[in-house]
Structure formats: C-alpha cells, structure tokens
Amino acid sequence: QQPVQSPQAVILREGEDAVINCSSSKALYSVHWYRQKHGEAPVFLMILLKGGEQKGHEKISASFNEKKQQSSLYLTASQLSYSGTYFCGTERGAGSYQLTFGKGTKLSVIP
Amino acid sequence: DSGVTQTPKHLITATGQRVTLRCSPRSGDLSVYWYQQSLDQGLQFLIQYYNGEERAKGNILERFSAQQFPDLHSELNLSSLELGDSALYFCASSWSGGDTGELFFGEGSRLTVL
C-alpha cells in the first residue's frame, strides 16, 4: 500500500525550515527517504528502522514513529540545493523486499 | 554517477509494439529493482530480482516481464504497448541480499508510446 506524503508541494526561501511527512495505514518495518532533482535519478538520503530512531544527514534529519506509522523529514536552514522532489519509501516487514514509494513532495527553495 | 547503467535512455515506439529495457547493476550488487515513474503515480515498484531469482513482485502488468541473467544484468520486456505505458522506467541496484538497503538508481529509460 502506497504511503501518503504531505504536503504535496512547498516553496521555501533560503534559510527557512520545512517538514515533510509520510504516513501509512499499515505497520511499517522501515522508512526510506530519497531526493530526486529535476531530470535526474532519485538519490538516497537515509533509512530509518522501527524503533523510533532519528537520523541525520547534514542539515536534513528524519524521525520514525512506528506506533503512528509515520515518518517526518526535517530540512533546516534550507539551501538552493535542497530543491527537488522528496520521496518516502516504506517496507512493511523484514524480508518483504518491496520498497513502496509515496507520490512525492516537491520542494522549491528560492533566493 | 551511481554506477547503474540503463539503455536505451530514450525510446519512441508505437502502440502494440514490444520493447526491451536493459540494466547493468553496480559492480558487486546482486539485487536489481525496476520502477515505473509517471507524473501522477510517482515511483511504482514493478519487480525485484536477487542473484537471478525473482524475489518480489509489485504492480507489474502481465504484458510486462523481466529477468536477471547470470552476469546479473537485467532486462524488462514490455509488450503490446499502450499509450498509458509511456513513462520513465528506472532500474536500481543494491548490495543487500536481506532487507532493502540503499538503492542506487540508474538514469532511467524514457519510453514514449505513440
């Protein structure tokens, strides 16, 4: 089942913060985050396993609340290079081997 | 450069035709994934192979088939093409034989069906 991302799109000025949410109606084993710039392939950001851990990648971090089946991606002090479409991917169980992506959140950072 | 190679980059064909998309994974990666990306549906998981064996199947149409060869490259065959099959098809590879790890995506094959 495809996870639901919100918002669908967001426009930020450089230096502003943003939060992108990913939720599922089913129990999740892991959440994966990718960023895709226009005309390019998706690029891996991070994986979060159930356990509520939070991970960071420079000024981009994420959390995973397995009880709520939700994950959030936090972008702080956004830079122009953060522009792109962010996808969350979810796995429902260990060994499912199927990573199902949401429809994406388009982030535009303007000067 | 992710190390994943997809050919062709662009393909234009007519309805009813058949095409083959090819993917060479990163050196050492045993898992290959195929995704279809269209504007309204995002990245749709089609199928995954691990070391030559089909491991997971998603929303792949019966008109589509795939295989992974002993040299680990993979091919996605699309037949009886319809206008709605026009999309960007991504291949991704991973070293992981267990849980899905980091996926390395190729640049995609853009299919246009006229």
Side-chain angles (χ1 to χ4, degrees), chain B:
Chain B
D1 182 3
S2 67
V4 177
T5 304
Q6 288 188 247
T7 57
K9 286 187 168 34
H10 301 276
L11 190 57
I12 301 174
T13 189
T15 54
Q17 295 297 305
R18 172 190 171 95
V19 298
T20 297
L21 309 180
R22 181 187 170 101
C23 170
S24 294
R26 287 190 325 155
S27 177
D29 284 358
L30 299 178
S31 290
V32 170
Y33 302 73
W34 285 97
Y35 283 88
Q36 179 192 57
Q37 186 173 42
S38 55
L39 282 175
D40 58 344
Q41 290 298 322
L43 285 160
Q44 295 286 305
F45 172 73
L46 296 178
I47 199 164
Q48 188 227 346
Y49 282 85
Y50 173 74
N51 203 20
E53 298 290 326
E54 179 185 308
R55 181 161 278 190
K57 186 177 278 192
N59 298 323
I60 187 167
L61 299 172
E62 286 191 8
R63 300 183 285 109
F64 296 0
S65 65
Q67 55 183 325
Q68 185 179 29
F69 295 88
D71 67 352
L72 300 178
H73 91 271
S74 178
E75 292 181 358
L76 179 67
N77 300 296
L78 315 174
S79 61
S80 302
L81 287 168
E82 303 175 358
L83 297 177
D85 297 328
S86 295
L88 188 55
Y89 291 84
F90 281 109
C91 166
S93 74
S94 167
W95 66 269
S96 176
D99 297 337
T100 303
E102 178 178 354
L103 297 185
F104 294 86
F105 283 82
E107 294 187 357
S109 292
R110 183 169 295 282
L111 174 65
T112 302
V113 183
L114 301 176

Side-chain angles (χ1 to χ4, degrees), chain A residues 14-90:
Chain A
E14 274 186 291
E16 291 182 338
D17 301 339
V19 180
I20 299 173
N21 299 303
C22 174
S23 64
S24 173
S25 59
K26 306 288 185 182
L28 297 176
Y29 172 72
S30 66
V31 179
H32 305 227
W33 286 97
Y34 284 77
R35 177 171 62 203
Q36 183 180 27
K37 293 184 178 289
H38 182 69
E40 299 181 7
V43 174
F44 172 79
L45 292 176
M46 66 190 76
I47 295 173
L48 300 103
L49 298 176
K50 68 176 182 178
E53 64 178 289
Q54 186 155 345
K55 282 199 169 186
H57 176 77
E58 296 180 342
K59 294 181 181 177
I60 300 174
S61 62
S63 64
F64 177 26
N65 186 325
E66 63 182 277
K67 290 182 180 179
K68 293 185 177 181
Q69 292 124 221
Q70 292 177 346
S71 178
S72 295
L73 186 71
Y74 307 94
L75 301 101
T76 58
S78 59
Q79 307 168 13
L80 294 177
S81 62
Y82 287 3
S83 293
T85 300
Y86 289 78
F87 292 96
C88 72
T90 56

